Amino acid sequence: MVVDPSTLDLSLTALFAGWAMTDEVQRRLTEQGFGDLRFNDGVVIQHVLAAPLSITALAERMAVTQQAASKAVADLERRGLLRREADPADARTKLLHLTEHALAAVTATRVLRRELQEEIEAEYGTERAEDARNLLAAVIGRYGGGDAIRARRVQPPR
């Protein structure tokens, strides 16, 4: 059975549009030399970007076990996206920091997302794009997602 995207409900349309745009960002990141990045890396990076934090704090923010957070951190360290440094307040605690490569990837991603927004506006009109964004932002707020976004604590649905 073939499904036409125009027949999908709003939640699936928004989800799949976000995935399509994210896939395009990933494709362009690869072209710019960031092919080592994965979408899920952003789940960890969003927390460390706000401020250096311990693995324990990361696990709490991500609502996962410390073991799961440690595994994710080890992978990001191995790929040169995170580094650990002693906490100046307590040398026994190690704080996670983004590497220059990770910070460059964050910058590149922000630029690419802005470019995609501009492309959508050029093709469909600024007002129409803004109306779509405002509607989706309102839906996020209606279902309680705004606080998680503001606090950089976005979680996939359970």
Side-chain angles (χ1 to χ4, degrees):
M1 172 186 198
V2 176
V3 177
D4 185 327
S6 68
T7 65
L8 296 172
D9 64 54
L10 182 61
S11 67
L12 288 176
T13 303
L15 177 67
F16 296 153
W19 283 357
M21 291 179 79
T22 297
D23 281 346
E24 181 61 15
V25 168
Q26 287 293 133
R27 187 187 69 70
R28 294 181 189 189
L29 279 170
T30 297
E31 288 177 354
Q32 293 183 15
F34 294 103
D36 57 325
L37 296 175
R38 302 179 195 132
F39 176 77
N40 288 341
D41 295 342
V43 174
V44 174
I45 289 172
Q46 71 172 335
H47 297 297
V48 181
L49 182 62
L53 66 160
S54 67
I55 290 179
T56 301
L58 176 66
E60 177 187 306
R61 286 176 175 248
M62 292 175 54
V64 299
T65 65
Q66 192 165 344
Q67 181 181 8
S70 292
K71 184 177 177 181
V73 165
D75 177 56
L76 291 172
E77 277 184 307
R78 182 180 49 75
R79 293 188 290 125
L81 297 163
L82 283 181
R83 69 179 189 283
R84 297 180 208 211
E85 293 182 11
D87 182 344
D90 181 359
R92 296 169 298 171
T93 302
K94 301 291 185 203
L95 296 180
L96 303 171
H97 295 263
L98 296 178
T99 64
E100 290 303 317
H101 180 63
L103 291 169
V106 168
T107 299
T109 301
R110 288 176 175 167
V111 168
L112 289 171
R113 289 195 180 282
R114 197 167 36 253
E115 287 175 4
L116 260 57
Q117 175 76 24
E118 291 167 359
E119 291 170 18
I120 295 295
E121 289 173 358
E123 187 167 343
Y124 301 106
T126 302
E127 185 176 336
R128 194 169 168 201
E130 187 67 12
D131 286 347
R133 192 193 59 73
N134 285 334
L135 172 62
L136 293 173
V139 170
I140 290 167
R142 184 180 197 285
Y143 294 106
D147 289 341
I149 292 170
R150 282 186 285 281
R152 294 184 179 270
R153 293 181 182 238
V154 175
Q155 298 286 326
R158 298 188 206 307

